[in-house]
Amino acid sequence: MMSSTYTTADLRNCAVVGHAGCGKTTLVERILEQTKVIGRMGSIEEGNTVCDFETEEHNHQHSLTSAIVHADVDGKRINLIDTPGYPDFIGQAFGIVPAVETVLVVVDAQKGIENVTRRMMKLITEERQPSAIVINKIDGCAGAGEKVEELISAIRETFGNQCLPINVPSSDCTSVIDCFTSADGDSLFSSPADVHSALVDQIVEVDDALMEQYLETGEVSSEQLTKTFTRALTEGHLIPILFTSGRENVGIAALLSAITEHFPSPTDFAAERFLVTTKETEDGEATPWTPDPSDESALVAHVFRVAADPFVGKLSAFRIHQGTLETGTSVHIDDERKPVRLAHIFQLQGKEHVEIHKAVAGDIVAVAKIDELHYNGVIHGDTPFESITVRPVPQPKPMYGLAVSPAKRGEEGKIGQAMTRICEQDPTFVVERDQTTNEMVMRGIGELHLRIVIERLRNQFNLEVETAQPTIAYRETITTKAEGHHRHKKQTGGAGQFGEVYLRVEPLPVEHETGFEFVDDTFGGSVPKQYMPAIEKGVRMVLSDGCVAGYPLQGVRVSVYDGKHHPVDSKEVAFVAAGKKAFIDAVAKAKPILLEPFVSLEISVPQDYMGDVTGDLSGRRGRVQGSDMLPGGQAVITAVAPLGEVMSYASALKAMTQGSGSYTMEFSHHEQTPANVMAEIVAKYKPKDDE
């Protein structure tokens, strides 16, 4: 068993994010090879990299989950978290951000700014997270200095002028030239002197005294610059740009040097990641709280990743924000009063885990087989707070759905258990039971997301499932007043059944709280009061099952105004039947319609594709609400559309924009279904036989 030999100030925690194919995993693999963690570099094609170790990742040759590795460089411990780059798995990258000080945004030098690049930079800006941009694959840029310079301009236009290179590729792209401490070299573009000057100008702006010295003398020492560099980075005043080629080992030493010398340690940057309440808190409202990594009195950590390990079972990775943790320590999870003992602590190196004795504030470690732990769970010691929770990072809402059922009868329970375990590991995957259609529906970010879930069910749980598009949850309603009547009379020898009901229906306002009212407007005892609940029961049976196309009925006020009863034959069952049939009669006369769910869409695409996207939305009965032009040739389109027309929109948008578009979708409201669509749905409906 090992103990950490480093301090909190020695730690550097970095997330490696970027669009699929930009070379993140290869970059991390090269870092591990250069720091002697591994003797030989693996490759994506051979399926033997440290970070991509799952069966599905080998099959698709892409990262599909986050992976944690570490390396020691110049007395510093670097924790790196490699993240998936497909847009369908961006939620995993989002969830990693609170666990690190610095986010390395990797950009393909050939492809430039891509969908995930933009979305990650947007989150980083909103979360005020220190970040750096790594332009990778520069080995293919020799002789293309103009193109690389255009990429730098696009990055600065899109993400801000605080994005500045701290090194530049050599003219043949076989090395990089350090522009932070020197200003000489044969560079691919610009001049190292100009890059150095711009960098110094940006850095000194965060320190008034240093800026005054620089303006007076024109000089500033490298020691002063190094100290102020970290401050500029943590304050968001500087986003350094570095150049690398993971495959050809270009710029890796410079990247490691920047991480160890300039990037913040946990003692340099701590965000308000937690919300707490105390005994003095009024109305139980939580307030933001920033942990102190130098405070060893109380442990505070948060779980940012949950995985199923084939050897140790449930494996929960967490970041220690405050205090220290030793094996055998008893801790609390969330607001639970009962302590949980952590018998073993692990450091992760891809799929490998090494047990350690102690972990310090700022470290990233894991524990196994603790069922109470979950994504965004808080592990803590005895704190002065009544409650402590993590402020969640906004996640994309899972809207792409598939109805799922077992391929073999009797495996419904097994599938439910497997789905629950997958939900624990993925914050953007949910499973729900649609009460209207009685379908089990799994929802994710896109088609690929759910395809991988199906593969995991097969590979990890030995389960085969059948899928289909979920049934659209239409609603029925009426548009005018009408009256209905039914006499229920049944004679079978002996006591019979009798009940007669007259009622009226009228539409309720859309904003009505419950969408249904039942009123007794009878007088003179035409229907005894004890039978009124039976009539309402019959009416409610129609509300749940519908009477036009089999969908729930809403927005109706029912008034019973007359009826007849028999002193011997009248029973509750008779008035249930009479109320039901009278209601169906009234609804049929009240010009019933179908309502379909509409969703609001926010679609981000390059401006060149705006015409294609808006035209496609019109063809789906959608309505464009507006559009905004963003820096870097990007546009955001807002629209509403029927859910039934955009069930597979992820695939359509991907095809229209060559994979560069993204969207979010949320339920908006219900609207009347067009007559032709309603006619098709009604024609397929087969009412249940009541008799």
Side-chain angles (χ1 to χ4, degrees), residues 536-556:
E536 182 176 356
K537 181 179 178 181
V539 169
R540 287 187 177 276
M541 289 171 66
V542 180
L543 288 180
S544 59
D545 296 338
C547 61
V548 177
Y551 294 99
L553 183 61
Q554 65 181 29
V556 183

PDB file of all heavy atoms in Angstrom, residues 536-556:
ATOM      1  N   GLU A 536     -69.314  10.284 -11.487  1.00  0.00           N
ATOM      2  CA  GLU A 536     -67.987  10.875 -11.676  1.00  0.00           C
ATOM      3  C   GLU A 536     -66.946   9.804 -11.985  1.00  0.00           C
ATOM      4  O   GLU A 536     -66.053  10.001 -12.811  1.00  0.00           O
ATOM      5  CB  GLU A 536     -67.567  11.662 -10.435  1.00  0.00           C
ATOM      6  CG  GLU A 536     -66.217  12.346 -10.599  1.00  0.00           C
ATOM      7  CD  GLU A 536     -65.833  13.210  -9.406  1.00  0.00           C
ATOM      8  OE1 GLU A 536     -66.636  13.343  -8.466  1.00  0.00           O
ATOM      9  OE2 GLU A 536     -64.704  13.753  -9.428  1.00  0.00           O
ATOM     10  N   LYS A 537     -67.094   8.641 -11.335  1.00  0.00           N
ATOM     11  CA  LYS A 537     -66.166   7.544 -11.606  1.00  0.00           C
ATOM     12  C   LYS A 537     -66.251   7.111 -13.064  1.00  0.00           C
ATOM     13  O   LYS A 537     -65.224   6.890 -13.728  1.00  0.00           O
ATOM     14  CB  LYS A 537     -66.473   6.362 -10.690  1.00  0.00           C
ATOM     15  CG  LYS A 537     -65.539   5.177 -10.881  1.00  0.00           C
ATOM     16  CD  LYS A 537     -65.878   4.037  -9.923  1.00  0.00           C
ATOM     17  CE  LYS A 537     -64.956   2.840 -10.154  1.00  0.00           C
ATOM     18  NZ  LYS A 537     -65.294   1.709  -9.241  1.00  0.00           N
ATOM     19  N   GLY A 538     -67.467   7.001 -13.603  1.00  0.00           N
ATOM     20  CA  GLY A 538     -67.636   6.636 -15.009  1.00  0.00           C
ATOM     21  C   GLY A 538     -67.032   7.670 -15.940  1.00  0.00           C
ATOM     22  O   GLY A 538     -66.403   7.332 -16.946  1.00  0.00           O
ATOM     23  N   VAL A 539     -67.208   8.959 -15.569  1.00  0.00           N
ATOM     24  CA  VAL A 539     -66.626  10.033 -16.388  1.00  0.00           C
ATOM     25  C   VAL A 539     -65.099   9.953 -16.358  1.00  0.00           C
ATOM     26  O   VAL A 539     -64.430  10.078 -17.386  1.00  0.00           O
ATOM     27  CB  VAL A 539     -67.119  11.402 -15.874  1.00  0.00           C
ATOM     28  CG1 VAL A 539     -66.315  12.537 -16.525  1.00  0.00           C
ATOM     29  CG2 VAL A 539     -68.601  11.581 -16.160  1.00  0.00           C
ATOM     30  N   ARG A 540     -64.528   9.722 -15.187  1.00  0.00           N
ATOM     31  CA  ARG A 540     -63.071   9.673 -15.059  1.00  0.00           C
ATOM     32  C   ARG A 540     -62.467   8.486 -15.800  1.00  0.00           C
ATOM     33  O   ARG A 540     -61.308   8.536 -16.231  1.00  0.00           O
ATOM     34  CB  ARG A 540     -62.672   9.647 -13.585  1.00  0.00           C
ATOM     35  CG  ARG A 540     -62.859  10.992 -12.882  1.00  0.00           C
ATOM     36  CD  ARG A 540     -62.301  10.977 -11.482  1.00  0.00           C
ATOM     37  NE  ARG A 540     -62.421  12.270 -10.826  1.00  0.00           N
ATOM     38  CZ  ARG A 540     -61.548  13.280 -10.965  1.00  0.00           C
ATOM     39  NH1 ARG A 540     -60.481  13.116 -11.745  1.00  0.00           N
ATOM     40  NH2 ARG A 540     -61.728  14.418 -10.340  1.00  0.00           N
ATOM     41  N   MET A 541     -63.248   7.403 -15.944  1.00  0.00           N
ATOM     42  CA  MET A 541     -62.765   6.278 -16.741  1.00  0.00           C
ATOM     43  C   MET A 541     -62.512   6.707 -18.179  1.00  0.00           C
ATOM     44  O   MET A 541     -61.550   6.270 -18.817  1.00  0.00           O
ATOM     45  CB  MET A 541     -63.776   5.126 -16.689  1.00  0.00           C
ATOM     46  CG  MET A 541     -63.839   4.433 -15.340  1.00  0.00           C
ATOM     47  SD  MET A 541     -65.214   3.265 -15.204  1.00  0.00           S
ATOM     48  CE  MET A 541     -64.720   2.033 -16.403  1.00  0.00           C
ATOM     49  N   VAL A 542     -63.357   7.602 -18.688  1.00  0.00           N
ATOM     50  CA  VAL A 542     -63.169   8.112 -20.047  1.00  0.00           C
ATOM     51  C   VAL A 542     -61.999   9.082 -20.091  1.00  0.00           C
ATOM     52  O   VAL A 542     -61.246   9.134 -21.067  1.00  0.00           O
ATOM     53  CB  VAL A 542     -64.460   8.791 -20.561  1.00  0.00           C
ATOM     54  CG1 VAL A 542     -64.266   9.328 -21.979  1.00  0.00           C
ATOM     55  CG2 VAL A 542     -65.628   7.822 -20.512  1.00  0.00           C
ATOM     56  N   LEU A 543     -61.821   9.865 -19.013  1.00  0.00           N
ATOM     57  CA  LEU A 543     -60.693  10.812 -18.974  1.00  0.00           C
ATOM     58  C   LEU A 543     -59.364  10.090 -19.153  1.00  0.00           C
ATOM     59  O   LEU A 543     -58.470  10.563 -19.858  1.00  0.00           O
ATOM     60  CB  LEU A 543     -60.674  11.566 -17.642  1.00  0.00           C
ATOM     61  CG  LEU A 543     -61.746  12.624 -17.395  1.00  0.00           C
ATOM     62  CD1 LEU A 543     -61.531  13.243 -16.022  1.00  0.00           C
ATOM     63  CD2 LEU A 543     -61.737  13.697 -18.469  1.00  0.00           C
ATOM     64  N   SER A 544     -59.221   8.947 -18.520  1.00  0.00           N
ATOM     65  CA  SER A 544     -57.939   8.241 -18.596  1.00  0.00           C
ATOM     66  C   SER A 544     -57.773   7.487 -19.907  1.00  0.00           C
ATOM     67  O   SER A 544     -56.671   7.416 -20.448  1.00  0.00           O
ATOM     68  CB  SER A 544     -57.806   7.277 -17.413  1.00  0.00           C
ATOM     69  OG  SER A 544     -58.869   6.340 -17.422  1.00  0.00           O
ATOM     70  N   ASP A 545     -58.884   6.927 -20.435  1.00  0.00           N
ATOM     71  CA  ASP A 545     -58.783   6.101 -21.651  1.00  0.00           C
ATOM     72  C   ASP A 545     -59.112   6.854 -22.929  1.00  0.00           C
ATOM     73  O   ASP A 545     -58.819   6.370 -24.022  1.00  0.00           O
ATOM     74  CB  ASP A 545     -59.712   4.887 -21.537  1.00  0.00           C
ATOM     75  CG  ASP A 545     -59.306   3.955 -20.405  1.00  0.00           C
ATOM     76  OD1 ASP A 545     -58.131   4.019 -20.004  1.00  0.00           O
ATOM     77  OD2 ASP A 545     -60.162   3.188 -19.932  1.00  0.00           O
ATOM     78  N   GLY A 546     -59.745   8.032 -22.817  1.00  0.00           N
ATOM     79  CA  GLY A 546     -60.121   8.788 -24.008  1.00  0.00           C
ATOM     80  C   GLY A 546     -61.299   8.157 -24.722  1.00  0.00           C
ATOM     81  O   GLY A 546     -61.710   7.039 -24.432  1.00  0.00           O
ATOM     82  N   CYS A 547     -61.849   8.894 -25.666  1.00  0.00           N
ATOM     83  CA  CYS A 547     -62.964   8.345 -26.434  1.00  0.00           C
ATOM     84  C   CYS A 547     -62.863   8.652 -27.920  1.00  0.00           C
ATOM     85  O   CYS A 547     -63.725   8.253 -28.692  1.00  0.00           O
ATOM     86  CB  CYS A 547     -64.296   8.855 -25.883  1.00  0.00           C
ATOM     87  SG  CYS A 547     -64.504  10.634 -25.960  1.00  0.00           S
ATOM     88  N   VAL A 548     -61.821   9.359 -28.328  1.00  0.00           N
ATOM     89  CA  VAL A 548     -61.627   9.671 -29.746  1.00  0.00           C
ATOM     90  C   VAL A 548     -60.544   8.796 -30.348  1.00  0.00           C
ATOM     91  O   VAL A 548     -60.742   8.179 -31.400  1.00  0.00           O
ATOM     92  CB  VAL A 548     -61.268  11.166 -29.934  1.00  0.00           C
ATOM     93  CG1 VAL A 548     -60.986  11.471 -31.398  1.00  0.00           C
ATOM     94  CG2 VAL A 548     -62.370  12.055 -29.400  1.00  0.00           C
ATOM     95  N   ALA A 549     -59.396   8.731 -29.654  1.00  0.00           N
ATOM     96  CA  ALA A 549     -58.278   7.953 -30.202  1.00  0.00           C
ATOM     97  C   ALA A 549     -57.536   7.172 -29.120  1.00  0.00           C
ATOM     98  O   ALA A 549     -56.447   6.667 -29.354  1.00  0.00           O
ATOM     99  CB  ALA A 549     -57.305   8.882 -30.922  1.00  0.00           C
ATOM    100  N   GLY A 550     -58.118   7.087 -27.922  1.00  0.00           N
ATOM    101  CA  GLY A 550     -57.494   6.293 -26.864  1.00  0.00           C
ATOM    102  C   GLY A 550     -56.476   7.030 -26.030  1.00  0.00           C
ATOM    103  O   GLY A 550     -55.716   6.402 -25.288  1.00  0.00           O
ATOM    104  N   TYR A 551     -56.444   8.373 -26.104  1.00  0.00           N
ATOM    105  CA  TYR A 551     -55.501   9.167 -25.326  1.00  0.00           C
ATOM    106  C   TYR A 551     -56.235   9.907 -24.213  1.00  0.00           C
ATOM    107  O   TYR A 551     -57.443  10.158 -24.311  1.00  0.00           O
ATOM    108  CB  TYR A 551     -54.772  10.162 -26.220  1.00  0.00           C
ATOM    109  CG  TYR A 551     -53.872   9.502 -27.238  1.00  0.00           C
ATOM    110  CD1 TYR A 551     -54.289   9.321 -28.557  1.00  0.00           C
ATOM    111  CD2 TYR A 551     -52.616   9.031 -26.873  1.00  0.00           C
ATOM    112  CE1 TYR A 551     -53.471   8.690 -29.489  1.00  0.00           C
ATOM    113  CE2 TYR A 551     -51.796   8.402 -27.791  1.00  0.00           C
ATOM    114  CZ  TYR A 551     -52.230   8.233 -29.096  1.00  0.00           C
ATOM    115  OH  TYR A 551     -51.420   7.601 -29.999  1.00  0.00           O
ATOM    116  N   PRO A 552     -55.543  10.285 -23.137  1.00  0.00           N
ATOM    117  CA  PRO A 552     -56.210  10.966 -22.016  1.00  0.00           C
ATOM    118  C   PRO A 552     -56.938  12.232 -22.465  1.00  0.00           C
ATOM    119  O   PRO A 552     -56.463  12.973 -23.337  1.00  0.00           O
ATOM    120  CB  PRO A 552     -55.048  11.304 -21.074  1.00  0.00           C
ATOM    121  CG  PRO A 552     -53.999  10.301 -21.390  1.00  0.00           C
ATOM    122  CD  PRO A 552     -54.118  10.042 -22.856  1.00  0.00           C
ATOM    123  N   LEU A 553     -58.094  12.451 -21.848  1.00  0.00           N
ATOM    124  CA  LEU A 553     -58.937  13.594 -22.173  1.00  0.00           C
ATOM    125  C   LEU A 553     -58.740  14.659 -21.106  1.00  0.00           C
ATOM    126  O   LEU A 553     -58.704  14.360 -19.907  1.00  0.00           O
ATOM    127  CB  LEU A 553     -60.399  13.125 -22.218  1.00  0.00           C
ATOM    128  CG  LEU A 553     -61.488  14.111 -22.605  1.00  0.00           C
ATOM    129  CD1 LEU A 553     -61.271  14.653 -24.000  1.00  0.00           C
ATOM    130  CD2 LEU A 553     -62.849  13.426 -22.512  1.00  0.00           C
ATOM    131  N   GLN A 554     -58.612  15.922 -21.506  1.00  0.00           N
ATOM    132  CA  GLN A 554     -58.373  16.995 -20.551  1.00  0.00           C
ATOM    133  C   GLN A 554     -59.090  18.260 -20.997  1.00  0.00           C
ATOM    134  O   GLN A 554     -59.572  18.358 -22.124  1.00  0.00           O
ATOM    135  CB  GLN A 554     -56.869  17.276 -20.420  1.00  0.00           C
ATOM    136  CG  GLN A 554     -56.225  17.808 -21.691  1.00  0.00           C
ATOM    137  CD  GLN A 554     -54.726  18.049 -21.537  1.00  0.00           C
ATOM    138  OE1 GLN A 554     -54.060  17.382 -20.760  1.00  0.00           O
ATOM    139  NE2 GLN A 554     -54.195  19.005 -22.285  1.00  0.00           N
ATOM    140  N   GLY A 555     -59.149  19.224 -20.088  1.00  0.00           N
ATOM    141  CA  GLY A 555     -59.751  20.514 -20.418  1.00  0.00           C
ATOM    142  C   GLY A 555     -61.260  20.458 -20.549  1.00  0.00           C
ATOM    143  O   GLY A 555     -61.830  21.098 -21.441  1.00  0.00           O
ATOM    144  N   VAL A 556     -61.933  19.722 -19.623  1.00  0.00           N
ATOM    145  CA  VAL A 556     -63.383  19.522 -19.727  1.00  0.00           C
ATOM    146  C   VAL A 556     -64.064  19.813 -18.394  1.00  0.00           C
ATOM    147  O   VAL A 556     -63.606  19.363 -17.338  1.00  0.00           O
ATOM    148  CB  VAL A 556     -63.714  18.077 -20.159  1.00  0.00           C
ATOM    149  CG1 VAL A 556     -65.221  17.902 -20.331  1.00  0.00           C
ATOM    150  CG2 VAL A 556     -62.994  17.712 -21.438  1.00  0.00           C
TER     151      VAL A 556
END
